[in-house]
């Protein structure tokens, strides 16, 4: 389903367009509809990849370097990368990764700024950002030795926002219907029509439940990987 068709469906349902398909509502524009669609698109894409990881979740590893705490992603920002798991091996002989938990600096160093106090059995990580908003990870404690493939991540790269009329969401067909249903509820809310908004929201939630209760993945449903023919390692794109 292309964006132009999606917006027309929303426009007809919410009485935003005239008989020629032009948006004439003074409160909700076509650009507003596109914004609602993109918000719901990303939410549903994340839910799909968490429930069915092969749809868009990737896993990669990078070598740990002795005394190095920061590991930068390449050409990625926090608004497109969602980390689902971070694991660390501090020893070259370790067989399993230890789960690293995310903690922000204000919690990690609230009462003690000593970076040497962290234990390898309970590692932490936090995001780092450079001057151009590039994204990376800072791990604690820092490794005492080099470890090949010592840092392991599972992640989702969010799809690009729909913008051109011919753009299509990277979702199974029935889940695209759920996305439209949620966007319709958002439009009614934007128009402050609470009755229609609640009714549309309940319908969208029911459609979503039906989809995930009954969805059986097929090859034709599987979304295409973003940036196909490129490396998907976030550290070396």
């Amino acid at each position: 389903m292309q964006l132009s068709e999606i917006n027309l469906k929303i426009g007809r349902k919410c009485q935003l367009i005239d008989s020629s398909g032009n948006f004439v509502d003074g409160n909700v524009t076509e650009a507003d509809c596109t914004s609602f669609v993109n918000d719901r698109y990303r939410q549903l894409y994340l839910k799909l990849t968490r429930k069915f990881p092969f749809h868009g979740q990737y896993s990669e590893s990078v070598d740990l370097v002795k005394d190095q705490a920061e590991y930068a992603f390449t050409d990625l920002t926090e608004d497109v990368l969602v980390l689902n798991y971070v694991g660390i091996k501090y020893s070259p002989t370790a067989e399993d990764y230890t789960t690293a938990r995310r903690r922000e600096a204000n919690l990690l160093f609230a009462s003690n700024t000593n970076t040497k106090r962290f234990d390898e059995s309970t590692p932490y990580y936090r995001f780092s950002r450079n001057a151009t908003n590039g994204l990376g990870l800072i791990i604690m404690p820092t490794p005492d030795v080099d470890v090949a493939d010592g840092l392991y991540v599972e992640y989702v790269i969010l799809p690009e926002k729909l913008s051109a009329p011919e753009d299509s969401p990277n979702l199974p067909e029935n889940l695209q219907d759920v996305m439209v249903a949620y966007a319709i509820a958002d439009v009614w809310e934007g128009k402050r029509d609470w009755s229609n908004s609640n009714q549309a929201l309940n319908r969208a939630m029911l459609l979503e439940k039906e989809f995930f209760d009954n969805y059986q993945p097929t090859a034709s449903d599987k979304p295409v990987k973003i940036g196909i023919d490129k490396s998907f390692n976030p550290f070396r794109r």
Side-chain angles (χ1 to χ4, degrees):
M1 195 186 315
Q2 295 184 339
L3 178 61
S4 57
E5 181 184 353
I6 292 170
N7 281 339
L8 280 176
K9 283 188 173 185
I10 297 170
R12 292 192 185 100
K13 188 68 175 180
C14 299
Q15 304 168 11
L16 305 176
I17 59 177
D18 59 21
S19 58
S20 300
N22 300 311
F23 278 74
V24 295
D25 188 272
N27 295 318
V28 180
T29 66
E30 185 172 8
D32 293 328
C33 289
T34 299
S35 178
F36 291 140
V37 168
N38 277 314
D39 288 343
R40 294 300 186 174
Y41 175 23
R42 290 193 164 199
Q43 290 172 5
L44 290 171
Y45 185 86
L46 274 177
K47 186 164 186 176
L48 179 70
T49 56
R50 285 170 181 155
K51 197 170 182 67
F52 303 99
F54 56 82
H55 267 298
Q57 178 171 288
Y58 308 105
S59 60
E60 304 290 350
S61 58
V62 67
D63 296 343
L64 288 187
V65 179
K66 180 181 177 180
D67 297 329
Q68 179 178 321
E70 185 171 4
Y71 297 83
F73 299 123
T74 303
D75 299 327
L76 292 175
T77 56
E78 194 171 3
D79 65 327
V80 300
L81 178 78
V82 177
L83 283 179
N84 289 340
Y85 177 80
V86 176
I88 302 175
K89 289 194 296 188
Y90 283 100
S91 169
T93 59
E95 295 183 359
D96 299 320
Y97 288 95
T98 300
T99 300
R101 292 180 292 173
R102 181 180 177 180
R103 290 289 188 276
E104 296 304 327
N106 62 327
L107 297 177
L108 287 171
F109 304 110
S111 58
N112 190 335
T113 59
N114 180 11
T115 59
K116 301 294 186 181
R117 63 187 171 86
F118 299 103
D119 190 277
E120 293 179 356
S121 63
T122 54
Y124 296 94
Y125 76 91
R126 63 185 178 91
F127 285 120
S128 64
R129 297 168 184 83
N130 61 26
T132 58
N133 293 319
L135 188 66
L137 293 180
I138 294 177
I139 63 171
M140 288 155 284
T142 54
D144 293 329
V145 295
D146 295 343
V147 182
D149 297 329
L151 178 61
Y152 172 81
V153 296
E154 293 178 353
Y155 63 99
V156 172
I157 296 180
L158 291 175
E160 294 182 2
K161 291 183 178 181
L162 307 177
S163 57
E166 64 275 11
D167 287 350
S168 298
N170 202 9
L171 296 172
E173 184 177 352
N174 289 344
L175 196 55
Q176 293 182 32
D177 293 334
V178 176
M179 177 190 69
V180 171
Y182 272 118
I184 288 171
D186 294 335
V187 168
W188 283 125
E189 183 179 6
K191 291 169 68 69
R192 288 176 167 73
D193 187 329
W194 311 120
S195 176
N196 276 323
S197 176
N198 289 334
Q199 184 177 1
L201 181 61
N202 288 334
R203 179 176 182 274
M205 293 171 64
L206 178 61
L207 288 175
E208 180 185 346
K209 183 178 185 303
E210 289 179 348
F211 174 85
F212 284 108
D213 284 349
N214 300 300
Y215 177 54
Q216 297 295 326
T218 64
S220 61
D221 279 338
K222 188 172 181 179
V224 177
K225 288 184 177 181
I226 301 169
I228 194 166
D229 296 328
K230 297 181 180 179
S231 167
F232 284 87
N233 191 322
F235 300 100
R236 296 184 294 271
R237 283 175 61 81

